[in-house]
Structures are given as C-alpha cells and as structure tokens.
Amino acid sequence: MGRALHDLPAARALFDEAGQILGYDLADLCFHGPVEKLNSTVISQPAIFVASLAALESLKATSPDVVAECRAAAGLSLGEYSALVFAGALSFRDGLRVVKRRGEAMQAAADATPSAMLSVLGLEQARIEELCAAARGNETLEVANLLCPGNIVISGNKTACERAEQLAEKIGARTIRLAVAGAFHTPLMKPADEALASVLSEVTIQMPQVPVWSNVDAQPHAEPAEIKQLLIRQVLQPVLWEQTMRNLLAADCDRFYEIGPGRVLAGLLKRVQRKVQCTNVNA
C-alpha cells in the first residue's frame, strides 16, 4: 500500500513525517508488511490515512485543476479525516495524531468485548432491522453502515452476529464477515468516543475551504466545534454513506474521485447512480 507513490517527493515527505509522529517506520510497514500487523486497527488507521493523503498528492501533481475545482469532500468512517485534511480544516500532523489515538481507542474497545461486523446483501433496511431485532437477544446488534442499495453492514457482539448469520441464511440473504477488529459504529465502541473527544480537544479545526459531508447526518458542516462533535458521535453511530452520495448528487456533484487504497467506494457509488463518473486515485 502506497509503495508506488513513494517516488513522489510530496508523498514521500508525508510518510517521513508520519514516521516521526508515530515513532515507527510506517512506510516500511505499508510497503513490506507483514499483513497481519498492517491489518491491526492500531496500524491500519494511520496507514490508510497517510496513504490516502499521499494519493491526493499524486492527484495534485497530475491534475491540479481537478483539485482546484473541487466543490465538496466526504470520506467513509476513517476517510472523513482525510477529507477534513484535504479541505484545510485539519493539519496533516494533527489529523495523524487524532487518527492514531482513534485507532488505539477503537482497538481497546474491540479487545474488551468479542464482537464483529457483517455485510448483509440483498435486503432492505427495514428487513435488516428486523433481522437485528430477532438476533440481538440481550446483546448489541445494530445497523452500522448504510453503504448502498442492497449492502448494509451490521455490527455487534460476536454471538449476536453469529445468530444473524444463521437467520439471514434461512431467509435467503447473503452475509460476509468483515475483517475488522470489532463492532465499529455501535455503542460497543465506548469509551473510544471519550478518548477521541480528549485528543480532539487538543487540536485546532479550521473552517473547511470546501464543505465536508459528515457520516453522521449526510450533511455538509463548516463550524469547527460542530465538526468535532460529529467526529465523536461517528464512533458510535451508523455511517450514512448511501445518503451522503445521494445528497451530493442532488447538489449537482457529477464527477467523483476516490482517493486512497482500493476501489470500494467507486463500486458503492455505481450502485447508487450507475452512470456517474468516478476516477480512482489509488495508493
């Protein structure tokens, strides 16, 4: 991840600065692994954040007009921090400090309670909420990510997720267990939100130069104090990604760029609006 960008001086500078902030060689981990270590929440969140912003430097170098003409920014979960840095609301250094603490706190919450996340394919939200209610029992099981039509992620205690898998199979729905540490975007992430609030209190958020759309309510926000509160709430609340994309389309955004590792967001966007143009700038 990010290896192809390391020859770009601006991208290399980000990896070098990240190593100084984090206290370990992030570039070496991204380029050489091991995968098991890179996939841990504590490492993966800083890694994806830095690699995404390194990919942004590639776009700035090859297509400066695209960056200058950008009208809005959004990011799914962790990606919201990259969007805020792009928009000038958060410095790279402060953003990485917050992301590092966020990853540590979310990993700690995941370690405290055996939990999981499942993509449920082919069901409407109302049916999935019924599925959660039937499988929850006395545990936590909630809708965590509303990604696109027919793809909704649920999150909760591991045993509740196992019951949901069995019930989904009985009604003909397909589930995919996600390779994540725990039940992100549910109350099981407490007290990660409190740790995040603490580190956010130590950094400055500026008015963004372009609107940044929040995962929490699928709306743009510019007030720094409000942005901080939404980032804290995001840890425990569902990610409204499909609605964010629909709202951006309704605001006449007709050209999208996916910045960072992978092509997942482009695929989700195509499920919302098949004909929309989306360019990948990979890390």
Side-chain angles (χ1 to χ4, degrees), residues 143-251:
V143 171
N145 297 338
L146 293 135
L147 297 176
C148 69
N151 187 348
I152 294 175
V153 175
I154 63 176
S155 208
N157 291 87
K158 186 177 179 181
T159 48
C161 287
E162 290 169 351
R163 291 192 294 270
E165 287 173 318
Q166 296 167 2
L167 290 173
E169 184 178 359
K170 289 180 180 179
I171 61 175
R174 182 182 170 209
T175 62
I176 300 173
R177 186 79 66 99
L178 302 186
V180 296
F184 301 156
H185 305 292
T186 74
L188 289 181
M189 281 296 102
K190 274 202 163 291
D193 62 327
E194 296 164 15
L196 182 59
S198 177
V199 71
L200 280 170
S201 72
E202 300 171 358
V203 304
T204 298
I205 292 185
Q206 308 284 353
M207 293 277 288
Q209 297 166 8
V210 298
V212 178
W213 294 63
S214 169
N215 286 194
V216 171
D217 61 4
Q219 296 295 324
H221 295 273
E223 173 59 41
E226 190 174 48
I227 291 171
K228 285 187 178 184
Q229 287 303 311
L230 288 164
L231 290 173
I232 295 164
R233 290 170 58 193
Q234 189 221 70
V235 174
L236 306 180
Q237 293 186 216
V239 171
L240 306 185
W241 190 250
E242 178 185 343
Q243 193 58 53
T244 299
M245 293 299 98
R246 292 192 184 280
N247 290 351
L248 284 167
L249 290 164

Side-chain angles (χ1 to χ4, degrees), residues 121-155:
L121 307 179
L123 293 182
E124 297 294 327
Q125 182 179 348
R127 293 290 308 281
I128 289 177
E129 289 175 348
E130 291 172 0
L131 175 70
C132 287
R136 183 179 295 123
N138 295 322
E139 298 182 301
T140 296
L141 187 62
E142 307 292 342
V143 171
N145 297 338
L146 293 135
L147 297 176
C148 69
N151 187 348
I152 294 175
V153 175
I154 63 176
S155 208

